[in-house]
C-alpha cells in the first residue's frame, strides 16, 4: 500500500531557528526523515535564492508547497487580491506545485471569473486555508466559496487547518463533514490554551491523532497532510521521522495482527 504524502511546514521548527539556519538547510532533514513534501514559509524567508531551493528539493525528490500569508479577497474589493499573480510566480520560482493562501473577505460579490482568468496563467494550484481570523476562518464562508468554485469549475482546493477552527470555537468534525470533499491539503495542528487564555499550537497526543484520522475519512483517500506544530529537539531527523510516520498512518485501515 502506498503511503500518503506527508509535508512539513517549516514554521514547525520555530521562526528564530529557521531564519537563523535558512529554510534550505531543512531539505536534508525532511528527506532523511521520509517526508515527501516541504512547505516553504514566505514570512520566514531570508536572502535565499528560490532557484537554489527548487534545485535542492528536486535533487532530494521532495515536492514543494509555497505558503504566503496573503488573503485571496481583500475587504471591500470584488476582484482578487492584486498580489495573487506575483504570489503564483514566486511559488513557481520555488519549484512549488501549490500556493497556500488564506481566504480573506469572501462575499457574494467577488469576481470568480476574474480569478479563473488569473489561474489560467499559472501551472501552480491554489490552496485556500481557513486561518485564525473571524472573516477567513469560519465554515460558512468556505461553504459559499467552494459552491462558487464548483459552479465555475475552478482548479482550487482547500487547505483544511484542523486546529484553526478552535480560534472560532467551531467544530473540526462539522467542518470536515461539510467541506471534506474540497480538501487537497491538511494542516495537522493540536491546540492548547495557555494560562493567559491564549490558544497555541502543540504536538499531538494519541487522542489527537485518533481524531485526525476520523476527520480524514471525510476527505479523499490519501490526501496530503502536513505537520504544523512545534517540532523541537536535539535530533530533528529522528523527531521529524516519528511525526512523518504518525501522519502517514492517519486514516489508514489498521491491519489486524496475524494469529500464530
Amino acid at each position: 500500500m502506498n503511503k500518503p504524502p506527508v509535508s512539513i511546514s517549516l514554521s514547525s521548527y520555530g521562526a528564530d531557528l529557521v531564519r537563523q539556519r535558512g529554510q534550505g538547510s531543512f531539505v536534508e532533514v525532511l528527506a532523511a526523515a521520509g517526508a515527501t513534501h516541504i512547505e516553504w514559509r514566505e514570512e520566514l524567508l531570508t536572502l535565499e535564492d528560490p532557484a537554489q531551493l527548487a534545485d535542492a528539493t528536486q535533487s532530494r525528490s521532495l515536492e514543494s508547497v509555497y505558503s504566503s500569508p496573503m488573503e485571496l479577497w481583500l475587504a471591500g474589493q470584488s476582484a482578487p487580491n492584486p498580489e495573487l499573480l506575483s504570489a503564483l510566480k514566486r511559488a513557481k520560482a520555488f519549484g512549488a506545485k501549490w500556493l497556500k493562501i488564506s481566504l480573506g473577505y469572501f462575499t457574494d460579490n467577488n469576481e470568480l471569473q476574474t480569478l479563473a482568468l488569473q489561474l489560467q496563467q499559472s501551472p501552480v494550484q491554489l490552496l485556500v486555508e481557513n486561518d485564525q481570523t473571524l472573516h477567513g476562518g469560519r465554515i460558512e464562508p468556505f461553504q459559499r466559496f467552494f459552491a462558487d468554485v464548483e459552479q465555475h469549475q475552478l482548479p482550487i482546493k482547500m487547505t483544511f487547518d484542523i486546529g484553526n477552527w478552535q480560534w472560532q470555537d467551531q467544530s473540526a468534525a462539522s467542518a470536515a463533514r461539510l467541506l471534506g470533499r474540497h480538501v487537497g491539503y491538511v494542516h495537522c495542528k493540536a491546540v492548547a490554551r495557555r494560562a493567559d487564555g491564549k490558544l497555541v499550537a502543540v504536538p499531538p497526543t494519541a487522542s489527537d491523532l485518533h481524531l485526525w484520522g476520523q476527520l480524514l475519512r471525510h476527505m479523499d483517500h490519501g490526501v496530503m497532510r502536513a505537520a504544523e506544530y512545534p517540532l523541537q529537539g536535539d535530533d530533528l531527523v529522528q523527531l521529524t521521522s516519528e511525526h512523518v510516520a504518525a501522519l502517514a498512518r492517519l486514516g489508514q485501515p489498521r491491519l489486524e495482527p496475524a494469529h500464530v
Side-chain angles (χ1 to χ4, degrees):
M1 183 185 299
N2 290 333
K3 290 184 178 180
V6 178
S7 176
I8 303 292
S9 168
L10 293 186
S11 59
S12 300
Y13 296 111
D16 291 342
L17 181 65
V18 173
R19 289 194 180 103
Q20 174 190 335
R21 290 178 48 171
Q23 295 189 51
S25 69
F26 291 91
V27 170
E28 291 298 325
V29 174
L30 267 59
T36 60
H37 292 64
I38 186 169
E39 183 181 316
W40 307 116
R41 301 293 295 207
E42 185 173 88
E43 72 275 15
L44 299 180
L45 287 170
T46 49
L47 298 176
E48 296 163 284
D49 178 35
Q52 288 183 348
L53 295 182
D55 289 344
T57 52
Q58 187 173 13
S59 69
R60 300 296 279 150
S61 299
L62 286 169
E63 294 192 13
S64 300
V65 178
Y66 185 85
S67 173
S68 170
M70 68 164 281
E71 294 180 324
L72 179 56
W73 307 106
L74 300 177
Q77 296 190 18
S78 59
N81 189 328
E83 293 294 317
L84 177 61
L85 285 176
S86 58
L88 287 165
K89 290 177 181 175
R90 285 197 300 277
K92 184 182 178 184
F94 277 78
K97 294 184 178 181
W98 300 270
L99 168 65
K100 183 185 77 67
I101 61 176
S102 293
L103 179 63
Y105 293 83
F106 178 72
T107 71
D108 294 334
N109 297 321
N110 290 121
E111 297 175 9
L112 267 76
Q113 289 179 327
T114 302
L115 176 60
L117 291 173
Q118 294 182 351
L119 294 179
Q120 286 175 6
Q121 301 177 43
S122 175
V124 177
Q125 182 176 37
L126 198 59
L127 296 168
V128 182
E129 180 180 38
N130 58 298
D131 60 18
Q132 296 170 7
T133 66
L134 183 62
H135 60 272
R138 295 185 63 79
I139 295 171
E140 298 79 14
F142 275 90
Q143 287 181 282
R144 296 197 303 271
F145 174 65
F146 276 104
D148 284 357
V149 165
E150 284 187 320
Q151 182 181 347
H152 289 81
Q153 297 183 316
L154 300 184
I156 301 174
K157 289 286 190 178
M158 180 180 182
T159 297
F160 187 99
D161 189 299
I162 294 174
N164 281 353
W165 302 112
Q166 293 194 41
W167 268 258
Q168 305 306 324
D169 198 24
Q170 288 196 308
S171 163
S174 295
R177 190 169 62 252
L178 294 167
L179 299 167
R181 71 182 188 278
H182 305 298
V183 175
Y185 190 40
V186 181
H187 260 190
C188 297
K189 177 193 298 174
V191 177
R193 190 177 295 277
R194 297 193 321 201
D196 61 3
K198 183 180 179 181
L199 294 174
V200 292
V202 295
T205 63
S207 60
D208 290 318
L209 293 170
H210 177 72
L211 169 65
W212 296 352
Q214 299 295 315
L215 298 178
L216 263 62
R217 293 182 179 180
H218 296 285
M219 303 167 193
D220 286 344
H221 180 71
V223 67
M224 177 168 58
R225 67 288 307 265
E228 198 202 24
Y229 49 79
L231 292 174
Q232 292 161 0
D234 294 331
D235 189 340
L236 290 182
V237 171
Q238 177 62 30
L239 177 64
T240 304
S241 179
E242 292 170 2
H243 285 271
V244 167
L247 296 185
R249 288 193 295 268
L250 295 179
Q252 299 298 298
R254 292 189 177 181
L255 298 177
E256 294 297 328
H259 293 286
V260 179

